[in-house]
């Protein structure tokens, strides 16, 4: 029996929707809401069936079937996704953290480093705490892959375990490691990579070609670049081992691949990224003659972005990590790592590890997101976005192949050039607050200071500036004060006060809005009023401030035409380069 719903409602045409939308926009055209998050990706405010008409045949393909846009075989027949607990093996508290973690029977443990890649002397005592029969292992260590695999086999023999019981992956990606430093790939490193896989034949369920492309995201690359670079690197590995007549078959190489991406907090873009990669990887392996579904779709690991972690107001990192994890799960990641929220202050501790794990446990047991195989399946917007990303990345990949492939472009410096270009645009968007990071370049938390911080992570320019201001305040014993002086009509006054408060707070300046400025002696005074109020009272007020507060910087919130005649020192307005303004202000107070 079929149930037809909403028959009493007459159908609404797209034109009717458009008229209603433009009415709500008060005359603006609907096209004004179109935007491009990156080159060749164009997003609309709404989607219809016609937007996915060309790929309609793929939308009905079930998970586990080519082209795998709806999930691979793991999702079709497996238990959802693997919750991975990341632990820095090179920190003193690693053993204690791991002991507490293993008591919770985690799906998987990732042993990596905070200050540097851990040595075998640091990881061996930790491996003894992990029950491989129920916990997967993902390793990123300084030891050569050949010896690492031999050590794992030895552990299994000592424990009298079957080799098939060890699951997980080994980071073993000399091409990406070289790309991060900008150096050419050394043939010896490729030989060690091959040796790790050869020894890995003894570990049938442990992937020994772990490729990590999180560096593309963390260095400011676009999603299109992440996908294209990943395809190009996989191609270079397949080509290299074929050209060098490796004893490893193509089938064995593909079976050993695990791919790691960073995921940010742009939910739909990150979800579509993973879906697009499965399509592209399947297309790539098909071009190499592979038709086995188990080899056409790799094991995907998603790590929440470290670039999106903030030092200040760091509990927002929990929210960003949750959004990123949800996008990864919705996109079909096989394993998810939620980075510790306080990593910007130093290595994780027992509390931050617990919170990282609980984020995923809540998503699994409270939100039930693991019960839905492909949340974006059939939805017009995610499907259209998936297709756009796949097409853009495939085109870039083809251009790279014509230029000689990833390794050659890397040796010629072209990969870093592409990343510098994309990162440059990202920096501009961040500086002008076109892209917002709550607590960093917008809506800062007041009264939060960290005069001494030791971190091994990337800090945004806003946080570097604020940190220097806090250190200066600690040395001088006084935190600079900005007095927000309201004039005239209340609505506009409050709006401009909010704007000034959010902007100046990013510098760590104390905000004062009440009291007598003569007693407060602020370093900065911001006039907040309507445009008419500035022209009627501004000149007199500015003159009074200059007479009574020697050396104070006088700013005006807003920049109406002709305001320069009032003689203020600078202006705060929407679209300004907030970073440059704050840098200049910091140098004068």
């Amino acid at each position: 029996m079929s149930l037809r719903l909403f028959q009493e409602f007459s159908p609404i045409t797209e034109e009717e929707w458009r008229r209603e939308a433009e009415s709500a926009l008060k005359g603006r055209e609907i096209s004004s809401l179109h935007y491009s998050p990156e080159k060749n990706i164009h997003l609309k405010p709404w989607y219809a069936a016609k937007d996915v008409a060309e790929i309609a045949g793929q939308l009905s393909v079930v998970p586990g079937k080519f082209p795998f846009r709806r999930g691979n075989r793991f999702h079709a027949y497996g238990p959802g996704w693997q919750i991975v607990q990341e632990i820095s093996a090179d920190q003193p508290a690693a053993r204690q953290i791991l002991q507490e973690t293993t008591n919770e029977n985690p799906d998987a443990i990732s042993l990596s480093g905070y200050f540097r890649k851990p040595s075998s002397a640091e990881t061996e005592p930790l491996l003894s705490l992990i029950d491989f029969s129920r916990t997967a292992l993902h390793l990123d260590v300084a030891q050569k892959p050949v010896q690492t695999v031999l050590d794992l086999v030895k552990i299994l023999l000592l424990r009298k375990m079957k080799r098939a019981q060890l699951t997980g992956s080994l980071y073993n990606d000399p091409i990406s490691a070289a790309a991060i430093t900008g150096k050419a790939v050394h043939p010896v490193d490729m030989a060690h990579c091959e040796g790790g896989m050869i020894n890995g034949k003894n570990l049938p369920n442990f992937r020994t070609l772990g490729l990590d492309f999180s560096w593309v995201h963390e260095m400011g690359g676009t999603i299109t670049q992440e996908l294209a670079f990943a395809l190009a690197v996989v191609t270079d590995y397949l080509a290299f081992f074929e050209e060098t007549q490796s004893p490893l078959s193509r089938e064995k190489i593909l079976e050993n691949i695990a791919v790691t991406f960073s995921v940010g907090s742009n939910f739909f873009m990150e979800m579509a990224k993973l879906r697009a990669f499965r399509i592209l990887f399947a297309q790539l392996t098909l071009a190499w003659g592979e038709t086995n579904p188990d080899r056409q779709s790799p094991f995907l690991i998603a790590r929440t972005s470290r670039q999106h972690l903030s030092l200040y107001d760091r509990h927002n990192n929990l929210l960003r990590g949750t959004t990123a994890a949800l996008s990864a799960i919705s996109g079909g990641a096989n394993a998810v790592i939620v980075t510790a929220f306080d990593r910007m202050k130093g290595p994780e501790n027992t509390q931050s590890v617990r919170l990282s794990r609980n984020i995923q446990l809540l998503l699994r047991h409270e939100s039930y997101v693991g019960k839905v195989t492909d949340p974006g399946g059939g939805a017009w917007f995610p499907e259209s976005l998936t297709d756009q990303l796949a097409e853009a990345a495939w085109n870039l990949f083809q251009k790279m192949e014509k230029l000689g492939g990833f390794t050659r472009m890397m040796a010629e410096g072209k990969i870093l050039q592409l990343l510098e270009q994309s990162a440059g645009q990202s920096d501009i968007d961040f500086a002008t607050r076109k892209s917002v990071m709550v607590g960093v370049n917008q809506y800062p938390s007041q009264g939060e200071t960290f005069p001494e911080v030791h971190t091994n992570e990337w800090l945004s320019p806003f946080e570097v500036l604020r940190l220097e201001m806090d250190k200066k305040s600690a040395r001088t014993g006084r935190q600079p004060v900005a007095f927000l002086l309201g004039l005239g009509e209340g609505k506009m006054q409050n709006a401009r006060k909010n704007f000034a408060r959010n902007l100046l707070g990013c510098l760590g300046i104390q905000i004062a809005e009440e009291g007598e400025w003569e007693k407060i002696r602020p370093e900065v005074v911001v006039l907040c009023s309507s445009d008419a109020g500035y022209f009627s009272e501004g000149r007199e007020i500015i003159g009074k401030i200059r007479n009574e507060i020697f050396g104070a910087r006088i700013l005006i919130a807003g920049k109406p035409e002709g305001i320069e005649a009032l003689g203020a020192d600078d202006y705060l307005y929407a679209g300004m380069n907030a970073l440059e303004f704050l840098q200049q202000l910091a140098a004068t107070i």
Side-chain angles (χ1 to χ4, degrees), residues 169 207 209-213 230 234 256-261 274 277 281 298-302 334-335:
S169 66
R207 297 170 184 263
L209 187 59
L211 310 180
D212 188 350
F213 302 106
V234 170
N256 271 283
I257 290 179
V259 176
T260 298
F261 286 109
L274 300 184
F277 182 72
F281 190 89
F299 190 86
L300 281 178
I301 304 171
N334 301 113

Side-chain angles (χ1 to χ4, degrees), residues 196-240:
M197 283 191 286
I198 291 173
N199 284 353
K201 286 183 177 181
N202 297 318
L203 301 172
N205 295 319
F206 187 76
R207 297 170 184 263
T208 51
L209 187 59
L211 310 180
D212 188 350
F213 302 106
S214 59
W215 61 274
V216 185
H217 171 93
E218 306 298 353
M219 292 177 69
T222 64
I223 287 179
T224 299
Q225 289 171 339
E226 289 182 73
L227 296 172
F229 290 3
L231 295 176
V233 169
V234 170
T235 299
D236 280 5
Y237 278 116
L238 292 172
F240 176 83

